[in-house]
Amino acid sequence: MNKRFAKALPLLFLSFGGIAECNLNVNVSTPNSRFTIANDGTVKDEDTKLIWMRCSLGQNWDGSGCTGEISSHNWQSALNAARDTDFAGVTDWRLPNIKELSSIIEQQCYNPSINESLFPGTPAEQYWTSSPYASSAKYGWNVSFYLGYNHHNFKTSEFYVRLVRNAE
């Protein structure tokens, strides 16, 4: 094998299932083994004891994946939509805070930086959190699932939403 090519092998990015590109030299941060998958379109994170909707708000779980169009919301609309959501027989869904949403970033991958087997169809876009930006009431925190970073934006911006609830 060509020595130049052999040296480049560890830096290759591989795609798993969807469109994400993953660097196998980086440890998996959200392994499937950390989660318990339910048949109702939810997944429980055994480390954080949070239950997540597998699909983004606006989509439906069809038993094997997410269907339909993801809805975008401004910050207040996202908070209201969470409060009004009835899914999997429960109504205590909420918008995750910045630490909670960051806990499902997959550090090994980008575009999107999320475990696509747990959260199928997640676009590499920004998702709202419930966390306000402390320096200005005009901003709220969001997570970009393109590279997996936190950012603040105007609360009037339109972003996607993934809901969470506390495990019982």
Side-chain angles (χ1 to χ4, degrees), residues 2 6 23 31 42 50 52 54 57 62 78 121 124 135-136 141 152 156:
N2 181 316
N23 183 339
T42 64
L50 295 172
W52 294 92
R54 295 183 74 184
L57 198 60
D62 71 3
S135 298
S136 173
W141 282 100
H152 64 277
T156 55

Side-chain angles (χ1 to χ4, degrees), residues 11-162:
L11 301 177
L12 287 177
F13 290 89
L14 301 176
S15 180
F16 295 106
I19 60 170
E21 297 195 43
C22 301
N23 183 339
L24 299 181
N25 290 323
V26 175
N27 290 331
V28 174
S29 58
T30 59
N32 288 355
S33 60
R34 189 176 113 188
F35 297 84
T36 301
I37 298 173
N39 293 329
D40 61 3
T42 64
V43 63
K44 180 181 177 186
D45 185 331
E46 298 298 339
D47 285 358
T48 64
K49 305 302 182 206
L50 295 172
I51 298 173
W52 294 92
M53 289 176 66
R54 295 183 74 184
C55 299
S56 302
L57 198 60
Q59 291 182 310
N60 297 304
W61 178 253
D62 71 3
S64 62
C66 301
T67 61
E69 293 295 318
I70 302 173
S71 56
S72 60
H73 299 266
N74 65 44
W75 191 72
Q76 188 60 55
S77 170
L79 291 169
N80 294 342
R83 182 195 63 223
D84 297 339
T85 295
D86 182 343
F87 180 78
V90 294
T91 59
D92 60 345
W93 295 101
R94 61 183 174 76
L95 202 57
N97 66 41
I98 189 67
K99 289 182 180 181
E100 291 168 335
L101 192 57
S102 295
S103 76
I104 62 170
I105 292 171
E106 177 48 63
Q107 298 294 331
Q108 187 183 61
C109 303
Y110 74 97
N111 192 27
S113 56
I114 196 165
N115 182 327
E116 292 180 292
S117 67
L118 298 170
F119 303 101
T122 300
E125 298 291 341
Q126 296 184 66
Y127 280 71
W128 277 121
T129 76
S130 62
S131 301
Y133 185 67
S135 298
S136 173
K138 295 179 184 178
Y139 298 101
W141 282 100
N142 60 302
V143 169
S144 169
F145 283 104
Y146 179 71
L147 292 175
Y149 61 86
N150 302 333
H151 196 270
H152 64 277
N153 264 302
F154 284 105
K155 290 179 178 178
T156 55
S157 300
E158 296 278 322
F159 297 135
Y160 296 136
V161 174
R162 182 174 310 281

